[in-house]
Amino acid sequence: MTRRAAITSIGRNLPPQVLDNKHFEQFAATNDEWIRTRTGIVTRHHAAPGTGSSELATKAAQECLERRGIAASEIDCIVLATVTPDMIFPATACLVQDNIGATKAWGFDISAACSGFVYALTVGAQFIESGAHRKVLVIGVDVMSSILDLTDRTTSILFGDGAGAVLLEPVEDGTGFLAFTHEVDGSGRAHLNMPAGGSLLPPTHETIDKKLHYVRQDGQVVFKYAVRKMADNSVLAVEKAGLKNEDIDLFIPHQANIRIIEAAQQRLGLPNEKVIKNISKYGNTTAATIPLGIYTALEEKRLKRGDNLLMTAVGAGLTVGSAVVRWSDLAF
Ligand SMILES: CC(C)(COP(=O)(O)OP(=O)(O)OC[C@H]1O[C@@H](n2cnc3c(N)ncnc32)[C@H](O)[C@@H]1OP(=O)(O)O)[C@@H](O)C(=O)NCCC(=O)NCCS
């Protein structure tokens, strides 16, 4: 049988502070009713100031290793997706490697915003399928609160912080990573970005005064793109896996807005019992969203061996990614 990459363990980390919608009323003209009905978000976690993504990612990775009962020294590679690294360099994957004591691992970061985890999963799966590696840690983490302008009601209320880590290992039993589809469209760069802090606009007093170190987005453009692409890209991945939409047992869509999720769900013709929705608790946690969704599915006992799992996300770039996995054994 073909060698494929199976998700054999999982861990997550959510910072302890939970903020409700009312919290944001002190900074901008918003309210609980608007946020609930327009986005589906009720609460989100925010890390304490001074918490780097590596801290959350390290804790998620440690839980993942403990569940599998293996030592960090057995990890071959760490692929970490984030747009809120501790520092622009070194990569956050290096910090996690040191923190967990993955003495034999190499690793690197991937920047694909909300699609980051799916990109990282695809990359990690290639190392397993090729036979190059036997244990790859794939991590999605973001501390979005570090780049939010709390006075901007169009972005501040949407995002939360978190981390999720999965372990990939080879299987030859018909389960594992079946297919992926990815797209990028850099012409959409203006619609969702953090303008300053890179080589184009290094930090100056002016960039700070103009609030260019925060998330900026044109919500309506991103909304329309996400609805279309989440469905279209998913269909391509399902076809590539040799399946039909009705063969999908569970759909974990990126959690940016409940209305985007439900529109994509409708386009794919999937009933509620096949769709994970946890946006009400976590908001949009960017690269952490999909692994937090897998974790929710396991908590709710909605994934069993042999199930066809579809994951899809859209993010800044613009980036799009979908992956289809036939679920393997995972002790939870
Ligand atoms: C941002 C988003 C929630 C805005 O929702 P929307 O229904 O498109 O709302 P609009 O932008 O049309 O704004 C409608 C009104 O609500 C206002 N509004 C926006 N945010 C608000 C808030 N937090 N509280 C109260 N009112 C708000 C707007 O200013 C606008 O007011 P106006 O009519 O007086 O101009 C929505 O567009 C969205 O979710 N976009 C995609 C976000 C996303 O996916 N981002 C990450 C990519 S992975």
Side-chain angles (χ1 to χ4, degrees), residues 32-259:
D32 179 54
E33 210 262 330
W34 192 96
I35 300 171
R36 273 178 202 250
T37 53
R38 304 305 293 167
T39 72
I41 299 166
V42 179
T43 58
R44 76 287 285 146
H45 293 250
H46 273 199
T51 308
S53 282
S54 68
E55 187 177 323
L56 274 53
T58 296
K59 289 175 180 164
Q62 283 165 337
E63 181 190 335
C64 184
L65 296 177
E66 273 162 34
R67 279 186 186 281
R68 184 74 179 91
I70 61 168
S73 57
E74 293 181 51
I75 299 299
D76 298 308
C77 182
I78 301 170
V79 187
L80 186 147
T82 190
V83 287
T84 51
D86 283 32
M87 296 165 258
I88 288 189
F89 69 91
T92 302
C94 303
L95 311 181
V96 174
Q97 176 272 337
D98 180 49
N99 289 349
I100 65 175
T103 46
K104 298 201 189 88
W106 68 296
F108 52 94
D109 288 3
I110 285 182
S111 172
C114 297
S115 309
F117 180 82
V118 187
Y119 278 45
L121 191 68
T122 296
V123 170
Q126 309 313 305
F127 290 126
I128 299 286
E129 285 174 14
S130 68
H133 291 319
R134 294 194 64 80
K135 287 186 171 55
V136 177
L137 259 185
V138 175
I139 303 174
V141 59
D142 271 299
V143 178
M144 294 303 290
S145 61
S146 66
I147 56 167
L148 289 179
D149 173 6
L150 293 181
T151 65
D152 176 6
R153 66 181 183 176
T154 68
T155 51
S156 64
I157 52 109
L158 296 172
F159 295 94
D161 303 338
V166 302
L167 180 66
L168 297 182
E169 295 184 82
V171 284
E172 294 185 20
D173 61 2
T175 69
F177 191 88
L178 299 182
F180 64 87
T181 48
H182 293 289
E183 291 175 48
V184 297
D185 180 2
S187 71
R189 75 191 82 177
H191 303 309
L192 184 52
N193 59 34
M194 187 177 94
S199 51
L200 182 64
L201 287 175
T204 60
H205 288 293
E206 192 187 356
T207 62
I208 290 169
D209 291 345
K210 288 185 171 166
K211 297 188 167 191
L212 299 180
H213 298 268
Y214 294 123
V215 178
R216 289 199 168 184
Q217 92 167 330
D218 181 341
Q220 287 190 7
V221 173
V222 178
F223 188 100
K224 285 182 197 144
Y225 184 83
V227 168
R228 186 163 53 86
K229 284 294 178 182
M230 296 245 290
D232 292 355
N233 196 262
S234 290
V235 169
L236 293 178
V238 171
E239 279 172 10
K240 221 170 142 186
L243 301 173
K244 298 198 165 59
N245 287 3
E246 55 266 33
D247 299 323
I248 295 303
D249 298 295
L250 196 68
F251 177 42
I252 304 184
H254 180 58
Q255 313 274 315
N257 187 315
I258 193 70
R259 293 181 291 134

